[in-house]
Amino acid sequence: MGPPETGRHRIGALTMSTAEKTIHFSTPRAASQIYCGHVEHLNEVEQKLGVELVARDDWIQISGPDEAVTKAESFFEFLEKARNQGMGIRKSDFFVTLQQVIEGRISALQDLIQDPLVLKFPKQKIIPKTLNQKRYLESIFNNEVVFGIGPAGTGKTFLAMAAAIDSLLKGEIEKIILTRPAVEAGEALGFLPGDLTEKITPYLRPLYDAIHEMLGKETAEKLMDKGVIEIAPLAYMRGRTLSRAFVILDEAQNTSPEQMMMFLTRLGDNSRMIITGDITQVDLPRNKESGLRQITHILENITQIVLFYFESFDVVRHPLVQKIIEAYEQFRSEGHS
């Protein structure tokens, strides 16, 4: 027995119907996964593409003007190919893809899933879990400066680390530099016990965890001992030019505008910079502006720099994490501080 019949999902009858297509899926569950289990998403497709849809069991029927049916067919077939590559279809994936189909960017979509993206490491292989994660990784590999902005659990930092290690193993760069503003210590790390690495470690634990998960603890520590993977507080970036390096600035929402400018101007030849952060989780004092919030307005018209936004829909941790984030977003939208 499959899931209950979803029934017909129509927004008014079309005056003309010149074409009809039926797309079959392997199981009713597979069909439901294409539209994230929410039949109202199909209503959006009907409205935006000008078609009628009927979804039952393991198939979706499309009817309407010939060109509109072709677009809708391409849309659903694209999502099915992505699902078959192991990527979950989330709400943001569904609507971003729909918008690209509306804009006639079918060829760009086909390029996105033409080849599966698999990053292979000694301890594991990494496959993007969502279409947005794949778009993010493609952006990182194709651009020198990428901002990954969004809530916890979207994979923005973990995937940045994966891209950095992949580039290192392929010999495309000579070192990886990881940095993060130590807000709680006000960057005044001299008063903390231990050497530089020991002082900054608590603030970079998520990055350490990602490195160990991909390379194994022993290999990771060897690379750090040799300086191939460098851990440094943001304040120590000043005055340097970072060449043939993959540089990741994590928790960038806690930088000041001055720190952000200082960091970005460290970019050297054959280097990449990935800046990740969540502009809704700023830990700076209320009277201090976030460098990440400010820079999104300053750099938005520079085409070589990618500002990649994740939403709560992109969260790939425990399902409750997404609900918690959405609850906070609702709370703030009602004017609460």
Side-chain angles (χ1 to χ4, degrees), residues 17 20 34 55 94 128 138 143 148 158 175 183 205 233 239 241 257 259 263 289-290 297 299 305:
S17 181
E20 185 175 283
I34 292 299
F94 188 91
E138 295 281 5
N143 297 275
F158 184 82
K175 70 185 308 180
V183 172
R205 177 51 57 189
T241 299
Q259 287 174 324
F263 175 77
E289 184 176 11
S290 165
H297 302 294
L299 302 180
I305 295 176

Side-chain angles (χ1 to χ4, degrees), residues 147 181 183 187 234 238 249 251-266 275 282 284-299:
F147 287 77
V183 172
E187 292 284 357
L234 183 57
R238 191 175 302 278
L249 169 59
E251 298 291 344
Q253 74 274 7
N254 290 329
T255 62
S256 67
E258 295 77 16
Q259 287 174 324
M260 179 63 74
M261 180 180 177
M262 177 274 291
F263 175 77
L264 291 173
T265 53
R266 301 307 95 202
I275 301 94
V282 177
L284 296 170
R286 288 181 177 271
N287 62 340
K288 288 192 175 182
E289 184 176 11
S290 165
L292 182 60
R293 282 180 179 168
Q294 184 192 75
I295 206 70
T296 58
H297 302 294
I298 294 173
L299 302 180

Side-chain angles (χ1 to χ4, degrees), residues 231-245:
I231 310 292
L234 183 57
Y236 283 58
M237 295 295 103
R238 191 175 302 278
R240 300 177 62 180
T241 299
L242 308 174
S243 301
R244 288 193 57 78

Side-chain angles (χ1 to χ4, degrees), residues 39-203:
V39 295
E40 61 268 24
H41 292 179
L42 298 179
N43 296 340
E44 287 287 326
V45 178
E46 289 184 321
Q47 288 182 332
K48 297 292 179 61
L49 296 183
V51 295
E52 289 185 354
L53 301 177
V54 176
R56 287 180 177 170
D57 297 327
D58 60 352
W59 53 267
I60 297 175
Q61 185 184 77
I62 312 164
S63 58
D66 191 63
E67 183 179 352
V69 169
T70 299
K71 282 188 175 183
E73 183 182 20
S74 298
F75 171 68
F76 287 115
E77 287 182 345
F78 169 81
L79 293 179
E80 174 64 357
K81 287 179 182 177
R83 195 188 68 83
N84 287 336
Q85 288 185 15
M87 289 180 279
I89 308 302
R90 296 175 182 269
K91 183 175 178 180
S92 58
D93 296 323
F94 188 91
F95 286 106
V96 168
T97 301
L98 178 59
Q99 186 59 39
Q100 289 185 295
V101 169
I102 292 168
E103 295 171 358
R105 298 167 61 189
I106 298 293
S107 59
L109 288 174
Q110 297 303 329
D111 289 343
L112 182 65
I113 60 167
Q114 183 174 1
D115 299 307
L117 179 55
V118 181
L119 303 182
K120 296 181 179 180
F121 303 109
K123 291 295 181 180
Q124 67 172 158
K125 66 179 181 179
I126 293 173
I127 300 172
K129 294 181 179 179
T130 69
L131 280 167
N132 254 5
Q133 285 196 350
K134 189 168 187 181
R135 290 185 177 101
Y136 178 55
L137 275 173
E138 295 281 5
S139 296
I140 290 174
F141 288 130
N142 294 324
N143 297 275
E144 292 179 322
V145 179
V146 175
F147 287 77
I149 303 169
T154 52
K156 58 187 184 295
T157 301
F158 184 82
L159 292 174
M161 274 302 325
I165 293 174
D166 183 71
S167 296
L168 180 67
L169 295 179
K170 289 178 179 177
E172 297 171 352
I173 56 169
E174 294 178 352
K175 70 185 308 180
I176 297 172
I177 301 173
L178 311 174
T179 187
R180 187 179 187 185
V183 172
E184 295 86 349
E187 292 284 357
L189 300 173
F191 297 100
L192 297 177
D195 60 20
L196 175 60
T197 300
E198 292 171 333
K199 292 175 181 180
I200 196 65
T201 292
Y203 303 101

